[in-house]
Amino acid sequence: MKIALMDSGIGLLPAAAAVRRLRPDADLLLSNDPDGMPWGPRTPEDLTGRALDVALAAAEHRPGALIVACNTATVHALPALRAALEPDVPVIGTVPAIKPAAAGGGKIAIWATPATTGSDYQRGLIREFAGGAEVTEVPCPGLADAVEHADQDAVGRAVAAAAALTPADVRAVVLGCTHYELVEEHILAALEERRPAGLPPLVFHGSADAVAAQALRRIGAEPAPGADPTGTLSVLLGGRPGGLPAAALAYAEGRGLAETAPAH
């Protein structure tokens, strides 16, 4: 079993770690675009072209499925990726977990990149799935870049700025960028500092676990977290074989994946 994941950078780590937890015996292929990241500021056409290059490089290794572990690429490139790869390689996009977050009603916040915040795409998801909730969209300028470069000072500043825009009494927080799941603890700490006493714990909603489970469903595989940990790890950097970026090792997800012997 081989599952590929793609992103411009290390935002694919949470989903890769989630696949590894569900199927320790699955071979993982991480395909990213260090020469073109970040994708967020690019035009939709440019982003789609780069995403196709990354996806086609992964497809040459014949994975059973491809996870698009990037919200921005899912928004702009998913139809093109599916047209190019399916039905041979099922393609799974990453959508912010607005529906489960809003299921309990009350106040929720959606942390996302400035390009996604207020976009027709995100507003459409809010209208469709969050009609019974009070939603605050929180732009997080610089946070994805800070996470990508493992710049802890910059992460702290970006998280503090976004926390200041988040209502102190929100019930749930949606992490609308795959990079943000790598610093979930920092986000939680910043929000808890401002939270009134007596409220229940914040609930966080990322996408990694959901897309990992969906990838298994698409290939007809069941979760088997107790399977022998025989899965390998391969990395493509702009289509070229490589290793995990140094910044990936700053995060528990990256260090866990690095313990896997690379495939040859």
Side-chain angles (χ1 to χ4, degrees):
M1 182 191 310
K2 180 185 291 183
I3 295 178
L5 301 96
M6 61 171 281
D7 182 31
S8 62
I10 63 173
L12 47 64
L13 292 178
V19 175
R20 179 64 84 224
R21 287 192 296 272
L22 292 176
R23 290 299 300 243
D25 57 341
D27 295 334
L28 299 180
L29 172 64
L30 313 185
S31 184
N32 59 29
D33 182 24
D35 300 327
M37 63 82 54
W39 283 346
R42 295 182 177 275
T43 66
E45 294 78 15
D46 186 17
L47 186 155
T48 297
R50 302 201 72 93
L52 279 168
D53 288 343
V54 169
L56 292 172
E60 291 181 3
H61 295 259
R62 305 181 65 82
L66 172 68
I67 294 173
V68 185
C70 174
N71 295 86
T72 302
T74 298
V75 171
H76 295 296
L78 189 61
L81 295 174
R82 285 181 167 161
L85 272 66
E86 292 186 340
D88 294 337
V89 180
V91 179
I92 297 92
T94 299
V95 177
I98 294 173
K99 183 177 181 179
K107 293 184 177 182
I108 69 172
I110 304 171
W111 283 37
T113 63
T116 299
T117 300
S119 66
D120 291 342
Y121 165 74
Q122 183 161 289
R123 292 281 169 85
L125 292 175
I126 293 170
R127 286 193 300 271
E128 184 173 0
F129 297 121
E134 182 178 337
V135 179
T136 299
E137 295 180 273
V138 181
C140 305
L143 181 53
D145 285 345
V147 173
E148 178 69 31
H149 296 98
D151 184 336
Q152 297 305 313
D153 290 338
V155 167
R157 291 192 297 270
V159 166
L165 300 176
T166 305
D169 58 345
V170 294
R171 181 187 57 79
V173 176
V174 176
L175 300 180
C177 171
T178 55
H179 280 76
Y180 299 173
E181 295 184 55
L182 292 169
V183 292
E184 182 176 316
E185 292 183 0
H186 294 276
I187 297 172
L188 177 60
L191 292 174
E192 289 289 1
E193 284 184 3
R194 306 177 64 254
R195 194 165 177 77
L199 293 180
L202 273 171
V203 179
F204 274 72
H205 293 270
S207 302
D209 291 336
V211 297
Q214 176 66 1
L216 293 184
R217 284 193 291 270
R218 290 291 300 275
I219 62 175
E222 294 291 331
D228 290 338
T230 55
T232 59
L233 178 72
S234 302
V235 179
L236 296 175
L237 304 174
R240 305 176 299 274
L244 282 173
L249 302 180
Y251 304 102
E253 293 88 343
R255 293 191 296 271
L257 292 169
E259 293 173 359
T260 306
H264 296 287

